[in-house]
Amino acid sequence: MINLTIDGKAIQVEEGKTILQAAQANGIRIPFLCYHPAIKAIGSCRICVVEVKPGPPRPQPACTTRVSEGMEVITNSERIKSIRRELVKFMLVNHPLDCPWCDKGGECELQNLTHELGIAEVDYEAARKPINNDVESPLIERYNTRCVTCGRCVRVCRERVGASAINFENRGYFTDLGSGQQPLNCEFCGTCIEVCPVGALINKLFKYSARSWEMTQSETICQFCGGGCNYQVNVKDGKVLRVSREAENPLLCMRGRFGFGVLNSPERIKTPLIKKGGQFVEATWDEALEFAAQGLMQVMAKSGSGAVYGIGSPRASNEANYLLQKLFRVGLGSNQIDNPARYNYLRALEGIAEVFGKPEIEGINPERQKISKPFHSPLMLEEGAKGKGFPFVLGDCEKLSQADVVLVLGADVTPEMPPYGWQLMKALQNENFRLIVANPRKTKYDRYAHLKMRYKPGSERALLVGLMEAVLEGKPGHEPYLAAEGFEVFKENLLKAPLQDIKSRTGVLVGDLREAGKLLAQAQAPAIIFGNDVLAQVQGKENAVAIANLYLLIGQPCNPGSGLYPIAEKNNTHGVCDVGVLPNLLPGYQELGGETAFTDIWGKAPSTLAGMPLDEALSKLENNAVNAPQAFYIMGGDMVRQLPNSTRVLGILQKAKFIVMQGAFMTETAKVADVVLPVAIHAEVNGTYTNTDGKLGRLQAAVGTNGVRPGWQIIADLSRKLDVPMEYANEEDIFREMSAGMPLYAGIQPGYRWPCPSITAEIKGTFVPFSPEVDISGEGTFTLIVGKTMGHSGSFTTWAAGPMTILSGQVLKMNPDDAAVLGIAAAEKVTVSSNQGSIAVTVALTEEMPAGVVFLADHFADRMANTLTLNSNLCRVTIQKG
């Protein structure tokens, strides 16, 4: 520790800290402008200057000057105050006096400094800067005359976001903030707005809405991707006007910062609807719940309780999803439940579990603790608790930046999981870090990659065989660091194709395979990120098995950052699986028929007969099987839009005798329902989510529900109508019951990851063979990838003005050379056809697409991409002009 004094106060701080950090840690204020805790200090504004003894005669910037033993610091002498006044006056020379209508009023750091330093007038004159304001850009306005050239926005955009969209132009007094073009063309994450100390960068959705002191702030969790970012919703008169984040971590993606409009969307369903004569009519809650209950009971009376199928939601809270599965298992005596993660993220968990096993926890205190704090598990761990299974190889996002080699396979990180991207930017500051990006198309992180591998769509498993062979070739005699079974047989049966054959299958150069294999073999903390492009394939589970095999070969989960990082698309995709909305597993991934606490908690043992997976249930109904589901309770989500082969899914749902839809919008799926129950969303609800790497996040209601109801309450109300009542006072009651039966959640509380880090992991695995053969349906000269695009999350954000401002509809991304061969120009209409259907869509030409590959996003109701797919996010298509 370093001993020093600041303004006569003796303090101790860690070596390497700056004077500013030491002062802040001890409650001593030193004003600043260019400094921000989220970015590297550069000391450009000099507002934070202090006198230092021993030291140079000139005052030193506190933000960049390191503490030293015996240092004496004076922060607020008359000399220092005078310097600060002059510096601020220089900033005010050309600063417009538009505080009355500037949105930063009340939270402007320059305004606060001017008041603090008692600057009543500016006695300097200078030439006026030319006005170069940008009011045309979507979502963000830029006012160059308000800019104090602190550089915060430039640095955070370059260092933390990785977009490098904003830069300084010109030099000296005429330095200006610009984007190199007008209007601004970037990711529109809005982080620049968050860090700007003045009103140079403005949130267009918030502009002129309120003053900072008029709003209340409430902490909650982002509604969109699986990152689970904490942020504050800013509310006035019961309406969310903006979202913000703490200074230490101001990063949010575009949908997180600008997607809150889903709450206030005029298209929200606010009143229950029942279908009469083929048309929806408004109903009271009691009428709608009675109608729903009668419809479901009629189906059960004729075909049994197994004829009703429940579909959970990755948008709903853990508590709502838990109650859904309990309603079916306890109330209806059936395991006929599943969730849409079946088509992507669940494949990752199942594939990893095949290699590393299902979770087991030993050493849980049999005495359930009395919970004094909300959303804390009553299960406590004993000293020496042990665990094994797939959860112990899942990576921790907050530690990802400590990995020394990261392989990003089949994931477009920025649209799918922005927090992983921010951690990659942090990791890139380490000169020893190496990033490998493997994807059929160019993504943002190609520009930062040390090695790029462009492979043929669908050839991931062949690529993984090549990588494992290259690891063994690059490090002869290499053995897995983890306890592993079946290694020799695995090598003999699978790892025998010459790398030249792998090249012909994947398109990846042998030299690149060898370089990647060498990097992975030498890594001390390797990590693998993989996402939708890999998991949404019909063989997504096999892809996950292959990835898990590679990690078993190279992984070192004992080292921070090393792990498997599958991407969960939605905010609670992980949680909906955790809490048991699965046909074959109870909450906490516990086996049906096994010994669990839920038998006592529920007062009865659930049926041991596994239900049908969702894809099987839909096929049964399509083929009129005797045991096919006849009714559905769908807890949100647009199955028609999101599942492969939209026309088929719609046709199957139309065959159902009765459908209850719990949702917020009139989606394509809601349109075929018999009753729609409007649900509270986002900042309207309390409860918990579990993010993609197992961290529990807490939702806190910030605004009223205005007639709609939380998901858990709808299910509880319906249970009473079904004569299987489930009574709870609130979400905390549900969490308490749920977590009491889940060993995996022992010791968990908001902000904690499961499994609890105090558990000693016993990680071992078994190499599992897989087929490297490519399977893409259809005919045609182009391969279509259906995936995710920046700014949208599923179909949910298509109801929000912010994301729709950036991308409002479907476009086909296509390589310019392919377009030239077909005589197609940018923005021209084409018809894309597969064996399943065709859509007419506008073309966007981009070099990010390789020859022979095209891309459509799966978010939009108009020209639905999944009209073209069969059972996967990949299919062959033909493209015709017009």
Side-chain angles (χ1 to χ4, degrees):
M1 299 292 284
I2 300 295
N3 297 283
L4 71 156
T5 62
I6 301 181
D7 293 339
K9 180 180 179 181
I11 62 174
Q12 282 189 331
V13 294
E14 295 177 8
E15 186 177 359
K17 295 291 185 182
T18 64
I19 293 173
L20 181 58
Q21 290 171 326
Q24 290 176 328
N26 287 273
I28 301 170
R29 171 170 164 72
I30 299 177
F32 54 81
L33 267 182
C34 72
Y35 172 79
H36 194 282
I39 46 183
K40 184 179 179 180
I42 59 172
S44 65
C45 74
R46 277 340 200 227
I47 297 295
C48 70
V49 290
V50 294
E51 294 183 87
V52 179
K53 298 178 183 179
R58 287 192 309 175
Q60 298 298 298
C63 67
T64 58
T65 304
R66 305 289 175 186
V67 297
S68 62
E69 185 66 30
M71 176 183 281
E72 297 179 24
V73 179
I74 299 173
T75 71
N76 214 20
S77 67
E78 284 303 319
R79 179 190 182 197
I80 293 297
K81 288 180 183 178
S82 177
I83 291 172
R84 288 174 183 158
R85 287 192 193 98
E86 297 307 302
L87 289 168
V88 172
K89 284 181 182 180
F90 289 142
M91 295 177 188
L92 292 172
V93 166
N94 200 37
H95 198 88
L97 299 177
D98 57 358
C99 302
W101 61 88
C102 176
D103 273 319
K104 203 71 173 183
E107 54 188 4
C108 173
E109 295 176 43
L110 180 61
Q111 189 180 62
N112 293 341
L113 268 176
T114 303
H115 182 271
E116 179 182 342
L117 296 170
I119 300 173
E121 60 181 0
V122 177
D123 45 7
Y124 298 113
E125 292 184 4
R128 289 287 178 184
K129 284 185 178 182
I131 296 175
N132 185 28
N133 296 336
D134 171 17
V135 296
E136 298 178 12
S137 295
L139 302 179
I140 299 171
E141 287 186 2
R142 189 174 68 242
Y143 293 87
N144 72 310
T145 53
R146 295 176 184 168
C147 179
V148 293
T149 62
C150 66
R152 285 187 186 179
C153 59
V154 174
R155 287 179 287 140
V156 80
C157 187
R158 180 180 63 241
E159 297 170 13
R160 299 296 305 277
V161 178
S164 298
I166 301 178
N167 290 286
F168 284 131
E169 301 171 350
N170 304 320
R171 288 181 177 274
Y173 176 75
F174 292 99
T175 298
D176 197 7
L177 182 65
S179 61
Q181 59 182 327
Q182 291 249 4
L184 187 65
N185 181 20
C186 66
E187 296 176 17
F188 295 99
C189 68
T191 305
C192 56
I193 300 171
E194 190 80 52
V195 302
C196 181
V198 293
L201 293 156
I202 292 297
N203 181 336
K204 293 182 78 167
L205 298 186
F206 175 69
K207 186 178 179 181
Y208 303 148
S209 297
R211 289 303 198 182
S212 59
W213 61 83
E214 297 177 314
M215 298 180 292
T216 58
Q217 288 190 343
S218 299
E219 184 90 8
T220 192
I221 303 295
C222 183
Q223 180 80 3
F224 302 112
C225 81
C229 295
N230 289 75
Y231 62 31
Q232 294 79 38
V233 290
N234 294 243
V235 179
K236 178 185 177 183
D237 297 331
K239 185 178 180 180
V240 175
L241 299 181
R242 69 176 182 184
V243 300
S244 55
R245 211 167 184 206
E246 69 278 4
E248 289 71 21
N249 187 7
L251 299 168
L252 281 174
C253 68
M254 186 254 281
R255 57 193 171 218
R257 197 173 304 277
F258 298 109
F260 63 88
V262 293
L263 285 161
N264 310 319
S265 172
E267 297 175 278
R268 281 282 302 273
I269 301 172
K270 290 290 189 177
T271 305
L273 303 172
I274 58 178
K275 192 171 283 182
K276 293 184 177 180
Q279 299 295 321
F280 282 116
V281 297
E282 293 186 353
T284 66
W285 271 103
D286 190 65
E287 290 170 340
L289 289 166
E290 184 66 32
F291 185 80
Q294 290 299 319
L296 295 175
M297 288 192 291
Q298 287 175 11
V299 170
M300 288 188 288
K302 183 176 181 180
S303 305
S305 61
V308 177
Y309 198 94
I311 302 175
S313 172
R315 294 279 183 219
S317 68
N318 286 324
E319 292 73 26
N321 279 301
Y322 169 81
L323 220 56
L324 176 74
Q325 63 87 35
K326 182 181 177 182
L327 172 64
F328 275 75
R329 288 190 160 118
V330 179
L332 307 185
S334 162
N335 289 308
Q336 292 283 63
I337 51 172
D338 207 348
N339 76 83
R342 171 71 52 191
Y343 292 85
N344 42 62
Y345 186 72
L346 184 57
R347 291 169 175 167
L349 299 187
E350 290 181 338
I352 299 170
E354 281 207 13
V355 174
F356 291 99
K358 291 180 180 176
E360 296 181 28
I361 309 291
E362 296 179 1
I364 295 175
N365 191 322
E367 297 293 326
R368 294 175 192 161
Q369 307 298 306
K370 290 185 177 180
I371 301 176
S372 58
K373 295 181 180 179
F375 304 109
H376 283 51
S377 170
L379 300 181
M380 304 300 291
L381 293 165
E382 297 176 337
E383 187 176 348
K386 298 179 180 180
K388 57 185 177 180
F390 77 82
F392 293 93
V393 296
L394 295 180
D396 180 351
C397 179
E398 294 181 1
K399 296 179 180 178
L400 176 59
S401 62
Q402 298 179 56
D404 58 353
V405 176
V406 173
L407 168 64
V408 179
L409 175 62
D412 191 354
V413 177
T414 296
E416 294 186 57
M417 185 58 59
Y420 284 175
W422 304 330
Q423 290 295 318
L424 290 178
M425 292 306 302
K426 187 176 179 180
L428 285 161
Q429 296 175 19
N430 179 354
E431 63 179 13
N432 296 318
F433 173 73
R434 293 294 179 265
L435 176 62
I436 306 169
V437 175
N439 200 298
R441 53 201 169 103
K442 184 179 180 181
T443 68
K444 167 184 166 179
Y445 283 92
D446 281 34
R447 76 182 78 154
Y448 300 107
H450 300 88
L451 177 63
K452 298 179 284 290
M453 295 187 290
R454 194 82 64 237
Y455 61 83
K456 297 175 184 177
S459 67
E460 290 87 356
R461 292 182 306 286
L463 174 62
L464 287 159
V465 168
L467 288 175
M468 285 186 271
E469 290 184 354
V471 165
L472 298 176
E473 180 183 300
K475 190 177 181 181
H478 174 82
E479 294 287 336
Y481 295 92
L482 298 169
E485 296 181 4
F487 185 39
E488 295 303 323
V489 174
F490 184 80
K491 284 194 296 184
E492 181 180 342
N493 292 338
L494 187 63
L495 305 184
K496 57 185 180 181
L499 290 182
Q500 192 63 39
D501 288 353
I502 301 297
K503 174 186 177 294
S504 64
R505 289 188 184 190
T506 65
V508 177
L509 297 176
V510 171
D512 288 345
L513 287 169
R514 287 187 169 131
E515 183 179 352
K518 184 177 180 181
L519 289 172
L520 293 169
Q522 294 175 347
Q524 300 299 305
I528 306 174
I529 299 173
F530 55 107
N532 183 78
D533 286 4
V534 172
L535 298 174
Q537 296 176 25
V538 66
Q539 292 178 302
K541 179 181 174 181
E542 287 76 8
N543 288 340
V545 167
I547 292 168
N549 278 316
L550 173 60
Y551 187 74
L552 181 57
L553 181 64
I554 63 170
Q556 300 183 55
C558 57
N559 293 331
S562 183
L564 289 168
Y565 293 80
I567 294 176
E569 179 194 8
K570 298 182 175 70
N571 49 295
N572 207 30
T573 297
H574 196 143
V576 69
C577 300
D578 284 357
V579 302
V581 189
L582 298 169
N584 60 329
L585 295 171
L586 295 170
Y589 306 100
Q590 298 175 88
E591 297 286 348
L592 292 172
E595 293 185 12
T596 76
F598 284 114
T599 299
D600 292 334
I601 292 171
W602 293 341
K604 64 179 292 187
S607 169
T608 59
L609 180 64
M612 303 176 196
L614 179 55
D615 47 358
E616 180 184 343
L618 293 175
S619 295
K620 293 272 189 183
L621 181 55
E622 180 182 33
N623 296 318
N624 300 313
V626 175
N627 60 341
Q630 300 297 317
F632 292 91
Y633 188 98
I634 305 174
M635 208 169 77
D638 192 353
M639 293 171 58
V640 174
R641 198 183 313 187
Q642 295 294 303
L643 269 54
N645 201 340
S646 298
T647 304
R648 170 180 176 263
V649 173
L650 178 60
I652 292 171
L653 292 178
Q654 288 173 332
K655 293 181 70 172
K657 291 184 170 59
F658 195 77
I659 296 177
V660 180
M661 181 74 188
Q662 178 180 303
F665 297 97
M666 187 53 67
T667 62
E668 302 305 306
T669 304
K671 290 175 183 177
V672 300
D674 295 278
V675 56
V676 179
L677 305 173
V679 69
I681 58 174
H682 193 19
E684 298 168 340
V685 296
N686 296 303
T688 62
Y689 290 158
T690 307
N691 77 354
T692 189
D693 54 341
K695 184 166 71 174
L696 191 72
R698 182 178 176 183
L699 290 161
Q700 298 187 77
V703 295
T705 54
N706 194 24
V708 302
R709 295 184 181 180
W712 75 268
Q713 187 178 337
I714 294 173
I715 296 168
D717 292 341
L718 180 63
S719 73
R720 289 188 283 273
K721 295 289 186 180
L722 291 168
D723 293 326
V724 287
M726 299 187 296
E727 304 294 342
Y728 297 91
N730 51 39
E731 297 88 347
E732 294 174 27
D733 274 359
I734 301 170
F735 183 88
R736 188 177 300 113
E737 175 185 299
M738 174 184 77
S739 57
M742 295 173 62
L744 198 60
Y745 272 28
I748 200 171
Q749 57 183 277
Y752 282 36
R753 290 182 71 235
W754 64 254
C756 185
S758 62
I759 298 173
T760 300
E762 298 180 342
I763 305 174
K764 59 182 180 179
T766 302
F767 283 96
V768 177
F770 57 88
S771 170
E773 299 303 317
V774 178
D775 181 15
I776 302 178
S777 66
E779 302 170 355
T781 54
F782 291 91
T783 300
L784 169 67
I785 301 174
V786 176
K788 313 301 173 184
T789 192
M790 188 180 70
H792 284 288
S793 173
S795 62
F796 199 49
T797 45
T798 62
W799 308 96
M804 291 297 282
T805 300
I806 302 301
L807 186 61
S808 60
Q810 190 67 270
V811 294
L812 179 75
K813 291 185 177 182
M814 187 177 193
N815 184 281
D817 292 339
D818 286 339
V821 171
L822 297 176
I824 297 169
E828 197 167 358
K829 284 284 185 72
V830 297
T831 299
V832 186
S833 302
S834 72
N835 292 355
Q836 311 308 314
S838 63
I839 59 172
V841 67
T842 301
V843 168
L845 302 183
T846 172
E847 296 287 351
E848 73 183 47
M849 301 307 302
V853 180
V854 293
F855 175 87
L856 288 171
D858 69 357
H859 312 291
F860 304 104
D862 63 320
R863 297 176 284 278
M864 284 187 288
N866 280 318
T867 301
L868 304 170
T869 56
L870 175 63
N871 52 15
S872 173
N873 66 324
L874 299 177
C875 66
R876 310 285 188 192
V877 296
T878 58
I879 299 173
Q880 292 181 317
K881 188 174 179 178

